[in-house]
Amino acid sequence: MANEKRVISVIVMNESSVLARITSMFAARGYNIESLTVAPIPDSDMSHITIATNGSSKVMEQITKQLHKLIPVYKVIEHEEMVEKEMVLAKFPIAENLADISVLASAYNGGVVNVGKEMIIVMAADEPKRVKHFIEAAQRYNPCEIIRGGVVAIER
Amino acid sequence: MQMSGAQMVCEAIIAEGVKTVFGYPGGAIMHVYDEIYKQDGFEHILNRHEQAAVHAADGYARATGEVGVAMVTSGPGFTNAVTGLATAYMDSIPLVVISGQVPLSLIGTDGFQEIDAVGISRPCTKHNFLVRSIEELPRILKEAFYLARTGRPGPVLVDIPKDITVETGEFKYPESVNIPSYKPTYKGNKKQIVKAVEAIKNAKKPLLYIGGGAVLSDAYKLIREMAEKTKIPVVETLMARGVMGHDHPQLLGMLGMHGNYASNMAMSETDLIISLGARFDDRVTGKLSEFAKYADIIHVDIDPANIAKLVDVQYPIVGDVKQVLEEMLPLLEGVDPDRYQAWREILKRYDELHPQSYIDSDEVIKPQWAIERLGELVGEDAIITSDVGQHQMWAAQHYPFDRPRQWINSGGLGTMGFGFPAAIGAKKAHPEKTVINITGDGSILMNMQELVTAAEYDIPVINVILNNHFLGMVRQWQTFFYEKRYSETDLTFQPNWKALAEACGGIGYDVTTKEEFDAALKDAIKQNKVCFMNVSVNRFENVLPMVPAGGALFNMMLPSPELADSALEDKKGTK
Ligand SMILES: Cc1ncc(C[n+]2csc(CCOP(=O)(O)OP(=O)(O)O)c2C)c(N)n1
């Protein structure tokens, strides 16, 4: 069975160690977490966790069911038709071609966010695949540091 | 009402109707023990090890279907309890285990006897709680009992920091719980049930495959009714022994690694598995790619995660076995039992070809004989617990169980040391029944300190030790698969069993003949005291049939004189 990349949203009750329950379930059952983001849902006592993972459809089915089985998990959404975004921050030496870097960042839905004496920091926010391209393109300008944020997704 | 956290714990236990609590005190839980001293709503049994306390609560739960309760202190008290939690978790047994924890202010400082109990127990509990304030304690206690017994049951741990047991707060035990994220499904989907019934009507070789879930949901009457109405043959898992009753003509027996020939062949040739509360464990299926190759599957399970986990399922039904059968039975009116006549004939012939059998002896007690004899002498009057190993399999194969909850064993985790404390729990639940732990000379030593518990509290459990001077099941694998290199399985060095039992306030019997066996059992029942019956059995006896691990279910090693007794083979070899 083909391994495919999947994004799952998990809505959980805000209570202590709920994230640990989720990650240790993944670890214990040998499932993969590619990226993970968590944030409280505004005006509620719940949080939204977005997990990018991969596996066969059978594995995905088990992941969904095992997540559901955890008591504080309220809802699991296996995204099919989604808008997916990921943020990335990159730091470059000030000596690099700043105009090129700025254009590159804006081509990926971002821009310059900070300029210091020795460094310039840019951000981009795009689909994970495009974020990958951004990172590849950024290599030309000798980045000192690149930090990816993890995927968030919303059903269309 | 205002009261301390410790009092709240006691009040909750009383409100839940629990009559017996098993446990062991220590620093972090002392305030609760102080309240236990003052109350008279429940009895507390001081087991002599926390593992045994949890197994005893587990045995109590398995014998009654109610939630068992155990109480332990922080640190080593809790870690000793982990095997008990895991054992209950694997078999979906409802438990509430209350553990003390260091005071809130010390959590995270590596305080004396601090250990991350919720972290350690996360993978072996249905759910767990670290109580963070006195305000949430009543709700958490209520939720713990609720979670333990509803849906797919399981153990729940409540870890309570010591300062919270001292603090006072308002106590009102909640009447109901509200957990928006927890809504188990009990009623099966009607459309799926109709489809499943159609499949049964169209099948030629259907097979009822009954698992431990059938016991947990108290569905045995409906299962018998379904079987009788349709005349579909039945196989039981290790956990389901007793559901059909041993003398039911449609029961083929137990299937799996040590299943009988007809059961395993039925599973291999069926065209429709009707799985009721079973989970296709690897000890049942053998090699998955060869498992039930010709079958469609109806899978009824309260836990959706069990469905299609290991095998593809054509008719998934999420729900409680009992409630699903209530819906399904009326729809089965139209099923013609004659339709499966040819199938039943085939299976009957399989059973005649290789019946569950063993070769008895006049010189030495055969372990299978001992179990059959127990069945003849105490039969339905007894509750049977067991440890793990050959004796467990022989008990499952040969004891005439005739109702669910009569057979109590650690199936999923396979915990040696489970049987004796579980028997103590079962006996507390059913003092009127004879409770017998069928055990081995290896397993019994893993919780032998419970002799003292049973003697102190007058809990007359009979331990029948099928003594082969070996870690027999491991020895059997060494015989078959490791060219008889008996690495660390020889138990020739033995305690004086009789003296050991007596030293702890019980009775001991050394049994080497069939006559002594009968006499010892009769005396043990009459004396009504905890005892060890040390029964010397044939040393190299093997459990058969056997499906080698990872092999196809239909490739069984069947009983031949040489396979059944490895000593015979050796004798022949030296001739
Ligand atoms: C706690 C624990 N440790 C180890 C094992 C592995 N094991 C399974 S069966 C067995 C031998 C049991 O020997 P005994 O209790 O004498 O029973 P017999 O097989 O001889 O009937 C062992 C060591 C286990 N199941 N549980």
Side-chain angles (χ1 to χ4, degrees):
Chain A
M1 249 174 287
N3 267 22
E4 31 180 337
K5 190 183 161 240
R6 283 292 194 157
V7 179
I8 303 172
S9 280
V10 192
I11 315 296
V12 299
M13 314 296 288
N14 271 341
E15 51 180 59
S16 62
S17 77
V18 56
L19 188 59
R21 284 182 208 285
I22 288 175
T23 51
S24 59
M25 187 281 285
F26 270 77
R29 294 186 184 267
Y31 307 141
N32 202 16
I33 296 181
E34 223 161 70
S35 84
L36 183 149
T37 61
V38 198
I41 297 173
D43 301 321
S44 82
D45 50 5
M46 300 202 193
S47 283
H48 190 128
I49 299 177
T50 314
I51 302 172
T53 175
N54 55 49
S56 64
S57 56
K58 207 167 167 148
V59 168
M60 293 314 300
E61 186 182 332
Q62 265 300 306
I63 291 180
T64 311
K65 286 174 168 178
Q66 294 293 347
L67 281 168
H68 256 301
K69 212 167 137 174
L70 300 172
I71 308 297
V73 168
Y74 182 68
K75 202 168 165 186
V76 182
I77 306 155
E78 223 189 301
H79 290 296
E80 306 268 348
E81 295 282 310
M82 61 181 163
V83 175
E84 219 185 336
K85 291 283 178 216
E86 181 176 356
M87 198 178 106
V88 59
L89 291 169
K91 199 191 270 176
F92 301 91
I94 202 90
E96 291 295 326
N97 185 333
L98 300 189
D100 279 11
I101 291 174
S102 165
V103 168
L104 177 68
S106 49
Y108 288 89
N109 274 328
V112 176
V113 290
N114 186 280
V115 185
K117 246 198 233 144
E118 289 168 10
M119 296 288 167
I120 175 171
I121 299 173
V122 305
M123 63 151 288
D126 217 320
E127 283 157 34
K129 207 164 59 199
R130 290 196 22 100
V131 164
K132 212 172 130 231
H133 293 161
F134 167 81
I135 293 168
E136 279 162 17
Q139 296 308 318
R140 244 174 289 156
Y141 308 102
N142 302 310
C144 326
E145 205 179 340
I146 293 179
I147 295 178
R148 293 178 74 157
V151 178
V152 291
I154 196 162
E155 206 54 20
R156 261 189 284 189
Chain B
M1 211 165 86
Q2 289 287 313
M3 62 176 76
S4 71
Q7 266 175 301
M8 291 183 188
V9 171
C10 293
E11 288 300 324
I13 289 170
I14 294 167
E16 293 289 344
V18 178
K19 291 279 171 278
T20 311
V21 171
F22 304 87
Y24 209 100
I29 193 85
M30 276 187 72
H31 285 282
V32 179
Y33 271 88
D34 195 43
E35 290 305 325
I36 290 178
Y37 187 87
K38 297 176 199 162
Q39 59 81 44
D40 55 7
F42 58 86
E43 183 190 12
H44 180 277
I45 303 286
L46 179 70
N47 293 87
R48 292 320 200 253
H49 190 293
E50 289 87 352
Q51 182 194 348
V54 182
H55 288 331
D58 180 323
Y60 183 93
R62 291 186 205 231
T64 58
E66 290 157 23
V67 180
V69 178
M71 202 172 289
V72 300
T73 192
S74 68
F78 163 75
T79 53
N80 273 350
V82 170
T83 301
L85 286 169
T87 302
Y89 179 71
M90 290 296 281
D91 291 342
S92 308
I93 303 305
L95 290 188
V96 169
V97 175
I98 293 170
S99 54
Q101 182 55 280
V102 299
L104 277 174
S105 58
L106 279 181
I107 288 183
T109 66
D110 303 317
F112 177 63
Q113 297 195 330
E114 180 189 0
I115 199 77
D116 176 12
V118 289
I120 289 175
S121 63
R122 202 174 286 129
C124 59
T125 51
K126 179 172 174 183
H127 195 54
N128 58 19
F129 298 91
L130 170 62
V131 182
R132 283 164 193 278
S133 72
I134 185 87
E135 287 74 33
E136 63 179 18
L137 181 58
R139 173 183 61 79
I140 286 177
L141 289 166
K142 177 77 188 181
E143 286 183 2
F145 279 93
Y146 178 78
L147 288 170
R149 74 161 72 86
T150 55
R152 180 179 182 179
V156 178
L157 176 83
V158 183
D159 196 35
I160 314 180
K162 184 169 185 177
D163 44 350
I164 292 178
T165 63
V166 188
E167 239 181 281
T168 53
E170 176 63 24
F171 181 78
K172 196 172 160 286
Y173 199 56
E175 266 165 28
S176 58
V177 301
N178 175 26
I179 312 173
S181 56
Y182 176 74
K183 298 267 180 286
T185 308
Y186 291 96
K187 264 187 119 51
N189 178 299
K190 183 81 196 211
K191 273 199 203 128
Q192 287 294 96
I193 294 176
V194 170
K195 274 198 213 157
V197 168
E198 276 315 301
I200 293 173
K201 286 182 181 163
N202 291 326
K204 292 204 179 76
K205 302 174 168 182
L207 183 66
L208 279 159
Y209 160 49
I210 313 298
V215 177
L216 298 169
S217 91
D218 278 322
Y220 79 101
K221 284 198 183 116
L222 293 176
I223 289 174
R224 290 181 189 183
E225 199 183 322
M226 174 168 181
E228 279 154 22
K229 203 173 207 171
T230 58
K231 294 279 181 282
I232 295 174
V234 186
V235 293
E236 289 173 347
T237 67
L238 174 68
M239 299 311 291
R241 297 304 268 157
V243 168
M244 283 302 283
H246 71 101
D247 54 1
H248 198 288
Q250 280 162 258
L251 178 67
L252 296 169
M254 178 172 78
L255 84 166
M257 181 173 274
H258 293 297
N260 62 330
Y261 183 74
S263 295
N264 285 349
M265 291 311 288
M267 194 43 110
S268 303
E269 295 185 2
T270 174
D271 64 358
L272 181 70
I273 299 172
I274 307 160
S275 170
L276 303 176
R279 61 183 176 88
F280 298 85
D281 180 84
D282 54 275
R283 285 292 188 265
V284 159
T285 61
K287 189 177 184 180
L288 263 183
S289 57
E290 296 292 328
F291 174 73
K293 269 182 157 168
Y294 313 105
D296 278 350
I297 299 177
I298 299 170
H299 193 168
V300 182
D301 202 302
I302 197 155
D303 181 358
N306 269 349
I307 296 178
K309 178 171 64 178
L310 293 154
V311 293
D312 291 333
V313 169
Q314 288 71 29
Y315 307 94
I317 301 176
V318 177
D320 172 59
V321 172
K322 190 175 179 186
Q323 296 199 18
V324 169
L325 287 187
E326 275 164 2
E327 293 263 323
M328 195 181 268
L329 271 170
L331 303 177
L332 289 169
E333 280 312 335
V335 173
D336 174 16
D338 290 343
R339 191 179 163 80
Y340 318 126
Q341 180 62 27
W343 170 230
R344 288 192 297 269
E345 297 286 331
I346 295 173
L347 297 176
K348 192 160 159 251
R349 253 176 294 158
Y350 280 149
D351 200 44
E352 285 161 3
L353 195 61
H354 298 293
Q356 180 78 61
S357 67
Y358 67 96
I359 303 157
D360 202 6
S361 159
D362 290 330
E363 283 149 36
V364 57
I365 294 181
K366 289 291 186 104
Q368 302 94 327
W369 175 89
I371 285 162
E372 281 183 0
R373 190 68 188 141
L374 278 177
E376 285 162 16
L377 293 175
V378 288
E380 62 183 291
D381 292 336
I383 293 175
I384 304 293
T385 70
S386 95
D387 273 301
V388 173
Q390 293 184 308
H391 60 273
Q392 174 192 28
M393 292 300 124
W394 284 316
Q397 290 175 335
H398 294 278
Y399 196 88
F401 299 107
D402 57 8
R403 61 173 183 282
R405 302 195 181 284
Q406 187 187 10
W407 165 238
I408 292 175
N409 83 129
S410 165
L413 198 68
T415 309
M416 289 171 69
F418 171 79
F420 189 8
I424 288 176
K427 182 74 183 174
K428 281 309 291 180
H430 293 292
E432 77 288 357
K433 296 263 181 233
T434 302
V435 178
I436 297 177
N437 174 33
I438 296 174
T439 180
D441 50 320
S443 294
I444 188 64
L445 291 182
M446 286 207 177
N447 266 316
M448 69 173 189
Q449 79 287 343
E450 293 310 302
L451 270 170
V452 182
T453 313
E456 178 188 351
Y457 292 94
D458 231 335
I459 306 171
V461 167
I462 299 171
N463 291 283
V464 175
I465 304 168
L466 298 181
N467 191 342
N468 48 18
H469 291 64
F470 266 127
L471 295 173
M473 186 56 97
V474 183
R475 192 279 307 152
Q476 174 169 339
W477 284 49
Q478 288 169 333
T479 301
F480 288 155
F481 312 120
Y482 293 85
E483 298 174 320
K484 303 187 182 167
R485 288 183 297 276
Y486 296 131
S487 175
E488 304 300 320
T489 47
D490 191 318
L491 300 183
T492 303
F493 187 90
Q494 299 246 322
N496 178 335
W497 298 97
K498 190 167 182 298
L500 178 60
E502 283 166 2
C504 297
I507 313 178
Y509 304 90
D510 287 317
V511 172
T512 51
T513 66
K514 291 179 174 176
E515 293 70 35
E516 285 171 0
F517 186 90
D518 282 15
L521 185 70
K522 279 185 191 134
D523 191 64
I525 292 171
K526 198 173 103 214
Q527 302 274 345
N528 210 25
K529 258 174 117 171
V530 62
C531 75
F532 275 1
M533 259 175 75
N534 168 35
V535 184
S536 298
V537 296
N538 191 34
R539 247 202 126 190
F540 282 93
E541 192 76 15
N542 294 320
V543 182
L544 295 169
M546 176 172 192
V547 180
L553 201 54
F554 49 80
N555 278 335
M556 283 162 269
M557 300 162 75
L558 291 162
S560 64
E562 286 74 27
L563 278 183
D565 183 349
S566 312
L568 287 185
E569 193 190 352
D570 285 349
K571 271 183 214 149
K572 249 174 54 183
T574 53
K575 254 181 213 164

